[in-house]
Each structure stands twice: as C-alpha cells, then as structure tokens.
Amino acid sequence: MLRGLVQVTPPERVTAIVNTADDTVLHGLRISPDLDTVVYTLAGAINPETGWGLAGESWQAMEALERYGGLTWFRLGDRDLGTHLYRTHRLSQGATLSTITAEIARAHELELAVIPVTDDRIATRVRLAETGPAGEAGTEIGFQEYFVQHAHSVPISGVRFDGAQGAVPAPGVLDALDRADAVVIAPSNPIVSIGPLLAVAGVSDAITTRRDHTVAVSPIIGGAALKGPADRMLRELGMECSALGVARAYRELASVMVVDDADRDLAPAIEELGMRCVVTPTIMSGSAEAAALARVVVESVS
Amino acid sequence: MLRGLVQVTPPERVTAIVNTADDTVLHGLRISPDLDTVVYTLAGAINPETGWGLAGESWQAMEALERYGGLTWFRLGDRDLGTHLYRTHRLSQGATLSTITAEIARAHELELAVIPVTDDRIATRVRLAETGPAGEAGTEIGFQEYFVQHAHSVPISGVRFDGAQGAVPAPGVLDALDRADAVVIAPSNPIVSIGPLLAVAGVSDAITTRRDHTVAVSPIIGGAALKGPADRMLRELGMECSALGVARAYRELASVMVVDDADRDLAPAIEELGMRCVVTPTIMSGSAEAAALARVVVESVS
C-alpha cells in the first residue's frame, strides 16, 4: 500500500505509522519486523520471494548458530543483522525507537516518514486455544513464537497487546493523523497489525476525529486473506471473515471502506453500516496496481 | 602455547583457564574475545593474519552497520556473530558462561577443556595517564575501548579488574589447578591477560599452593613483547620491561621461569629470585616450535 501511496503523493508528505507489537528480543537484539519490512520494501531492498528480509542476503551467522544448536527458527540474514545491531546499540545509548527508525530510513534514502506507533514497549500476546506443540491451552505465547516458530498454524482463542494502554504515541503520530489529507488504514491484518496501533492510548480517538478523511482497505478478498493468517484469526476470534466483517471493525474509524471487485455484492451491507463503499481492484500484484489502488484510496477521502 | 600443549599432552588432559575481563557487551551482544580466540585457534579456524576472528570471514553485517553510521570499530564478522548470538541467547536463558563455553568448544570438536576463569562478570578498567582522544587524564575506560578503539596507543596510569575480588572461580578452575601435573602461566600479557586470572579470589592462592608444579613463560623477549602492548604497559605502570621483571611478578606463583635464548644473561638474576630459570627458544613461529616449547615447559615441572 505504501509503495502505491508514495507514487501518487509526494513521498515527503507520507507518514507511515507502523506496528511495533511484533517486536521481539532475540539473542539480545531488538528486532522490529514490521518497521524493517516497511523500510526494506520502500527502499526496494526487500526479498521479493519471502516478503521479509533483504534480497541477495547471506546467512553466515545463522549457519554458525546452527553449528551450536542455537535458536534459528527466526532467520536473521547477515546484512539484516546490521540493522538489529544498530537498533540495539542506539537503544542502549538511550535513543528512542522513533529516532532510530528515522536514522535507519534516512540511511536507506527514504523520503517518507516511518514512525513506530509508540516508543514504549508493546507486545502482542496470543492465547492458545488448544494444547499442542506451542503449549497448554489457555496459556499465552509471544507473537513471533506464534507467527514464525509455529507458522501461525496453532488455533488461538485470544489476542492482547501488552503495554498498549499505558503506551504513549511516538512523536509525530497524533500530529500526522491530525493533519493528514487522507488517513489510510492499510489492508493489513486487522487483529495483529492494525489492532496494536488502535490499542495505543489516543490513536483510535485521533482517527475517529478524522473519520471523514479516513479510508480503510479490506485485506480480506472473497472471504480469504491474500497472505498471512488474518482470515483464520478472524474466524478463531469469532469475527466474520469477510470485507463486511472488516468494515464492522472499522466503522467508527473510517468513513470509506475500499473492497475488491470480488466483494461487490457486500457493498450494500457495508453502506448500511454508515460507510461509503468503494469497489475497485485491490490485489496489488505490482507497482502499477499499487499506484492505481492508492489513487482511488486517497481520492476517496480528499 | 595451547597449540603446543595439546601436541605434547593428550588434549583431553589439558585445561585452558581463560581471561574474561576483556569481555564486553556491544550491540547487546556478549563478546568474549579471549575465549573465542582460544577456541577458534585450537579449532584451526582463526584468521592467521589478524590473530582474532575467523579465517575466510564475511563482513555483511558490519557493512550494513557502516551504512547506518553505527559502531564499527570493533569488527564482528558474520560467522563470528553466530558465536555471540549463541552466547547471548544462552546467557539470557540462565546458562553459565562456563557451560556455554563448553558447548561452543564441543561444537568446534575440541577435546581440551576451555574454562572461563569465572562465571561472574569481571571487567578490566584502564586509567588514562593523559587527556587525549580517549578522554580526560585520570578517568577510566573499558578494555576494548583502550585495546581496539584506541589501538592501545594512549598512555595509561593504572589497571584494575572490576568485580574480580567478589568473583568466584568457575567450576573446574580450582580443581584443574589442584590436580594438574603442570600449571603453565602462558606467555601472555602479565597485566591484562594473566592479571585478571590472578585477581579472581582464590586463583592466586591455588597456584601458589602448586608452586613446585607451576612454570611461567616470559612474554617479554629482549625487553619487548612479540605482539600487543605488554611492554608498553609494563613501563607505563612502572614495572621492569624484561623477562626479569616478569619473573619478579610471578616469583610467588611459579618455581620455574622459562625465558628466551635472547635473555640468557638474565638467568642468574632470575635464579636469585628463588626460581629455576630455563633458557630455550620461545618464539612460536609455527606448530613445531610451539610443540618444542610446550615439551620443555611441561617437563620443567613434571
């Protein structure tokens, strides 16, 4: 979505507010997967096959770690490690995550602002629905254990964002929401990618205030997520797994809901929720499709 | 020295007790340079040109870090990073440094025991003699800042080992000293490599008790250190920079002092200290020379 937005808007006028509840500490290193994926993607450096990590990466450190029988389920490429070393060192110096993220984005020559939703530590905790490889039913595990180690293939019964209620939005977050011509809720996982942003105190209210200028894009197309476990999670948590279900989740926040052509039939029901429904191709298979969608999205609320 | 000892003694009967006061935390990773150098060297994996790090190493993480303007004066190769990631993760799990070191040595298929002198945190602190690039005169800096960042080229007026007095020898240390046929004080820097070992409570006493079976090899040959700043440090700290000066430092601990042929003239003065002086070639330019010296050393007290 961001790749589209920076094509149709001057990049220096775009602010990405990014989830940090996926962040984890591994081997003593602070890993911020969503921030890094945003930066690497916009820098054109992302590994296009995996959707994470860097293209043309080497894996010497992981191979050494394998020799020791170390923790290797979370793959950290050698160049990617440079990012985590930098972040961890700067945090130890007292720099905030938002300052560090700006430094990393600048080093990658990005012109847009990339801001973690908060400089405080928030962490997605996932409750297991069944006793299995990940643990006992009812116990909680970290997001990366769920998402990567267990390949989001264990049923869950709950999600919460540890620390979010007491967290303060990072500098620039509320201001960006307040001043934006368009606030775009990206077609990301509503529960674990957008959910933590909304859980940080003040963010949800700031968006609600800008409801007339806020547009959400459904990540669910024809009842399924294009990638990731969003569809499965929605069902497991008792929500309707459709663009309509997503619209219900965002109705207080956004005045416009963008759904794929495949979900044209849901438009009347979505409009009944009090949202305007825009029907358009939403599968961004390339740069041109991303730009076309971004144009529709921005124009819908500008 | 260890490379020689494992040639003349069954390796499984050799225990290396290693300095950890050089250890540091960089980028959140626990780095144990002396332990790693011992393991890598005995595994035949050390970079022969630098004497530290791994041969054939790649530097992707450091190059990424340079892009960010990160801390790169302490060079960490990609494969070497695997060791630090492993150590840091295991420490976070509550494993002791000695357990982790044994695991790392085993992964490198070493048969000798490599033991950190203590599982407690000790840290060499170096006091600056002059105000300069490293800081104000009289202030202290960490060992790696002195040794690597400032290439041991700033004058010093003192060295202390933070935490050593309260540190407990790691499991196996006192037992190895107690049972060894020969206790060998290697030709390492007497101040910052051997000094911390002796500063850990109980170690010096344990060696003194075995004085008849303890032999020291002088790292100073003809008034100079073969490598590193030992000669400079000895002078700056007001000690005599010669094999005789080294003998004075070790006289209570060792009954035999091994000096190089070049220092033959110092033998009578060393014997006057109450030590037996063995004169032999001590420059270990290769494996054969190391074995020859090790044989002389071990036989001198066995």
Side-chain angles (χ1 to χ4, degrees):
Chain A
M1 189 77 253
L2 281 166
R3 272 202 287 200
L5 289 168
V6 295
Q7 289 180 72
V8 302
T9 310
E12 65 275 15
R13 297 192 57 204
V14 176
T15 297
I17 300 173
V18 181
N19 174 32
T20 56
D22 293 10
D23 287 19
T24 188
V25 174
L26 290 172
H27 325 285
L29 298 177
R30 171 73 173 271
I31 321 277
S32 298
D34 286 5
L35 285 170
D36 289 346
T37 296
V38 165
V39 169
Y40 294 169
T41 299
L42 292 170
I46 199 93
N47 180 338
E49 281 157 39
T50 55
W52 56 266
L54 291 160
E57 183 62 283
S58 62
W59 302 93
Q60 296 291 314
M62 283 293 118
E63 282 170 27
L65 205 50
E66 264 156 27
R67 171 182 214 157
Y68 299 129
L71 181 161
T72 54
W73 56 262
F74 197 97
R75 307 293 293 168
L76 297 169
D78 298 325
R79 286 200 291 145
D80 186 37
L81 272 169
T83 305
H84 312 313
L85 296 176
Y86 182 73
R87 179 185 295 114
T88 306
H89 176 60
R90 293 285 289 127
L91 284 169
S92 78
Q93 292 181 313
T96 61
L97 185 60
S98 52
T99 297
I100 300 163
T101 303
E103 291 166 353
I104 290 172
R106 203 177 308 128
H108 285 276
E109 297 173 9
L110 299 188
E111 293 173 89
L112 83 168
V114 180
I115 314 185
V117 63
T118 176
D119 282 328
D120 299 325
R121 196 75 180 83
I122 60 175
T124 299
R125 305 286 298 167
V126 175
R127 191 170 348 107
L128 299 173
E130 299 173 4
T131 297
E136 297 279 312
T139 58
E140 281 185 344
I141 60 174
F143 180 77
Q144 297 303 341
E145 285 71 31
Y146 166 72
F147 194 78
V148 179
Q149 188 173 16
H150 298 288
H152 48 75
S153 66
V154 293
I156 63 170
S157 58
V159 166
R160 70 181 177 91
F161 310 113
D162 199 32
Q165 271 309 310
V168 175
V173 166
L174 296 183
D175 190 55
L177 292 172
D178 189 42
R179 295 161 49 138
D181 295 328
V183 175
V184 180
I185 300 178
S188 300
N189 188 315
I191 297 166
V192 291
S193 298
I194 304 298
L197 304 180
L198 303 176
V200 169
V203 171
S204 184
D205 287 348
I207 298 175
T208 304
T209 305
R210 300 300 314 285
R211 186 176 184 275
D212 287 352
H213 291 270
T214 300
V215 46
V217 183
S218 175
I220 304 293
I221 299 176
L226 276 190
K227 59 174 191 171
D231 42 11
R232 209 183 138 148
M233 293 183 104
L234 284 166
R235 275 190 298 270
E236 287 173 0
L237 299 179
M239 292 156 83
E240 183 183 327
C241 181
S242 71
L244 177 59
V246 175
R248 281 208 185 93
Y250 294 150
R251 63 188 294 190
E252 307 288 336
L253 302 162
S255 57
V256 178
M257 187 76 214
V258 176
V259 305
D260 191 74
D261 285 342
D263 291 317
R264 183 178 300 276
D265 294 352
L266 298 174
I270 290 170
E271 302 232 329
E272 271 180 36
L273 297 172
M275 303 172 95
R276 188 153 68 82
C277 185
V278 173
V279 180
T280 192
T282 64
I283 300 179
M284 296 174 275
S285 38
S287 180
E289 291 84 352
L293 176 60
R295 191 166 289 112
V296 171
V297 164
V298 170
E299 283 172 2
S300 74
V301 289
S302 297
Chain B
M1 186 79 253
L2 281 165
R3 273 203 286 201
L5 288 168
V6 294
Q7 289 181 71
V8 303
T9 310
E12 64 276 16
R13 297 193 57 205
V14 176
T15 297
I17 301 172
V18 180
N19 173 33
T20 56
D22 294 9
D23 287 19
T24 189
V25 174
L26 290 171
H27 325 285
L29 298 177
R30 172 71 173 271
I31 322 275
S32 299
D34 286 5
L35 285 169
D36 289 347
T37 296
V38 164
V39 169
Y40 294 169
T41 300
L42 292 169
I46 197 96
N47 180 338
E49 280 156 40
T50 56
W52 57 267
L54 290 159
E57 183 61 282
S58 62
W59 302 93
Q60 295 292 313
M62 283 293 117
E63 282 170 28
L65 205 50
E66 264 155 29
R67 171 182 214 157
Y68 299 130
L71 182 161
T72 54
W73 56 262
F74 198 97
R75 307 294 293 169
L76 297 168
D78 298 325
R79 287 201 290 145
D80 186 36
L81 272 170
T83 305
H84 312 313
L85 296 176
Y86 181 73
R87 180 186 294 115
T88 306
H89 176 61
R90 293 285 289 126
L91 284 169
S92 79
Q93 292 181 315
T96 61
L97 185 60
S98 51
T99 297
I100 299 163
T101 303
E103 292 165 354
I104 290 172
R106 202 177 308 126
H108 284 277
E109 296 174 9
L110 299 188
E111 294 173 88
L112 83 167
V114 179
I115 314 183
V117 63
T118 176
D119 282 328
D120 299 323
R121 197 74 179 82
I122 60 175
T124 299
R125 304 287 298 168
V126 175
R127 193 171 348 109
L128 300 173
E130 300 173 4
T131 297
E136 297 278 312
T139 59
E140 282 186 343
I141 60 174
F143 180 76
Q144 297 303 342
E145 283 72 30
Y146 166 72
F147 195 77
V148 177
Q149 188 173 17
H150 298 287
H152 48 74
S153 66
V154 292
I156 64 170
S157 59
V159 166
R160 69 180 177 91
F161 310 112
D162 199 31
Q165 271 309 308
V168 175
V173 167
L174 296 183
D175 191 54
L177 292 172
D178 189 43
R179 293 160 51 137
D181 295 328
V183 175
V184 180
I185 301 177
S188 301
N189 187 316
I191 297 168
V192 292
S193 299
I194 305 297
L197 306 178
L198 303 176
V200 170
V203 171
S204 183
D205 286 350
I207 298 174
T208 304
T209 304
R210 300 299 315 285
R211 185 175 185 278
D212 287 353
H213 291 269
T214 301
V215 46
V217 183
S218 174
I220 304 293
I221 299 176
L226 276 190
K227 60 173 189 171
D231 43 9
R232 217 187 131 144
M233 294 183 102
L234 284 165
R235 273 191 300 269
E236 287 173 0
L237 299 179
M239 293 157 83
E240 183 183 328
C241 181
S242 71
L244 177 58
V246 175
R248 281 207 186 94
Y250 293 150
R251 64 188 290 188
E252 307 287 336
L253 302 163
S255 58
V256 178
M257 188 75 215
V258 176
V259 304
D260 191 73
D261 286 342
D263 291 316
R264 183 178 298 277
D265 293 352
L266 298 173
I270 289 170
E271 302 233 326
E272 270 180 38
L273 297 172
M275 304 171 94
R276 192 152 66 81
C277 185
V278 173
V279 180
T280 192
T282 64
I283 299 179
M284 295 175 277
S285 38
S287 181
E289 290 84 352
L293 176 60
R295 191 166 287 113
V296 171
V297 164
V298 170
E299 283 173 2
S300 75
V301 288
S302 297

